[in-house]
């Protein structure tokens, strides 16, 4: 009995170590492959018809404003006003009646001076994979500038390029490292899951009719 327990414990440890190694490798690999395509500087971003703004809630669970949200909005507005993009797809979660990331982003962008007719809403961007692939399959965009924080852009750009898109990332300012600790820890697992999605050909949760961007 003791020998069996020992063997089970050894197998558990081996699997744990293998899992940690895989997560570290996945994060390193994605950062390396996407590093030349993401930037904090507008000057580094190529002029492209469409930007893809990735969603997040405008408030935190405690009701406080979400700095990730407002920093992304500011970055997207700057990119539009600089002439680098002509249209913005706002893609996010709209899973309940009182939670609508695309509409919140659209309103915030309008308040920043982006015309409403230049904003397209994707209400089915439940995950980064969904947002990226739907930008290609639903909105017909094969070249996009993705707008989010650097850690998120690395993953999104990697996914987009693996799905046949010419993608670049414009990094919105990050938040205080302590305030964003939970998000950054979750990102380590999210980057590892990217390979799972690619290996098993995971597709967006919802399809839909094509939407033409002029």
């Amino acid at each position: 009995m003791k020998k069996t327990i020992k063997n089970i414990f050894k197998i558990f440890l081996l699997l744990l170590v293998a899992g940690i190694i895989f997560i570290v490798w996945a994060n390193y690999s994605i950062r390396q492959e996407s590093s030349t395509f993401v930037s904090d500087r507008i000057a580094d971003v190529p002029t492209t018809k469409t930007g893809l703004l990735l969603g997040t809630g405008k408030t935190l669970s405690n009701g406080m404003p979400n700095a990730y949200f407002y920093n992304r909005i500011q970055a997207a507005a700057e990119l539009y006003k600089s002439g680098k993009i002509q249209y913005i797809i706002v893609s996010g979660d709209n899973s309940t009646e009182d939670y609508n990331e695309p509409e919140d982003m659209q309103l915030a962008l309008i308040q920043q001076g982006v015309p409403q007719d230049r904003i397209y809403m994707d209400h089915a961007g439940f995950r980064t994979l969904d947002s990226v692939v739907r930008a290609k399959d639903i909105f017909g965009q094969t070249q996009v500038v993705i707008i989010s924080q650097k850690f998120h852009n690395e993953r999104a750009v990697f996914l987009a390029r693996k799905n046949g898109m010419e993608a670049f990332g414009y990094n919105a300012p990050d938040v205080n490292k302590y305030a964003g600790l939970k998000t950054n820890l979750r990102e380590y697992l999210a980057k590892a899951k990217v390979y799972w999605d690619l290996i098993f050909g995971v597709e967006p949760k919802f399809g839909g009719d094509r939407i033409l961007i002029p």
Side-chain angles (χ1 to χ4, degrees):
M1 185 66 178
K2 282 184 179 180
K3 189 175 181 182
T4 303
I5 292 171
K6 262 189 176 182
N7 288 335
I8 291 172
F9 184 67
K10 283 179 182 177
I11 292 169
F12 171 77
L13 278 180
L14 285 171
L15 290 173
L16 180 63
V17 170
I20 292 170
I21 291 171
F22 173 72
I23 290 170
V24 171
W25 171 82
N27 276 263
Y28 175 79
S29 171
I30 289 172
R31 286 195 192 105
Q32 286 294 106
E33 285 203 38
S34 62
S35 62
T36 57
F37 304 111
V38 299
S39 178
D40 304 329
R41 297 183 344 120
I42 286 182
D44 295 336
V45 178
T47 301
T48 308
K49 184 171 80 170
T50 309
L52 173 62
L53 176 57
L54 300 179
T56 187
K58 67 177 181 179
T59 56
L60 302 172
S61 57
N62 60 8
M64 295 292 288
N66 181 2
Y68 285 113
F69 177 92
Y70 291 101
N71 288 353
R72 291 181 198 183
I73 294 297
Q74 187 65 40
E78 287 172 359
L79 207 58
Y80 174 79
K81 290 174 183 177
S82 73
K84 289 287 186 174
I85 55 175
Q86 301 173 47
Y87 297 92
I88 303 173
I89 300 170
V90 291
S91 182
D93 189 348
N94 178 33
S95 54
T96 63
E97 282 188 23
D98 58 350
Y99 187 79
N100 195 322
E101 291 176 357
E103 285 192 6
D104 288 341
M105 290 190 289
Q106 182 195 54
L107 180 59
L109 285 170
I110 292 170
Q111 291 171 344
Q112 289 290 324
V114 180
Q116 186 171 347
D117 64 356
R118 295 287 170 153
I119 305 168
Y120 284 76
M121 289 192 289
D122 179 11
H123 291 96
F126 299 112
R127 298 193 308 148
T128 304
L129 171 70
D130 296 54
S131 295
V132 166
V133 175
R134 284 175 59 82
K136 179 185 177 185
D137 293 348
I138 303 299
F139 294 89
Q141 304 305 298
T142 55
Q143 185 183 56
V144 292
V145 175
I146 301 173
I147 304 146
S148 188
Q149 275 72 28
K150 182 181 178 182
F151 67 86
H152 195 190
N153 271 343
E154 290 168 343
R155 174 161 54 98
V157 167
F158 179 86
L159 269 170
R161 287 185 167 268
K162 290 298 181 183
N163 278 279
M165 300 171 72
E166 189 178 355
F168 303 87
Y170 178 53
N171 302 330
D174 211 335
V175 305
N176 179 284
K177 64 180 180 179
Y178 297 108
L181 181 61
K182 183 180 176 182
T183 300
N184 285 294
L185 288 174
R186 191 169 58 210
E187 181 64 22
Y188 277 95
L189 297 176
K191 280 189 170 74
K193 192 176 183 301
V194 164
Y195 282 96
W196 175 278
D197 291 341
L198 290 172
I199 290 167
F200 291 99
V202 176
E203 297 183 352
K205 188 174 181 180
F206 293 106
D209 297 329
R210 292 290 293 267
I211 297 170
L212 177 66
I213 297 180

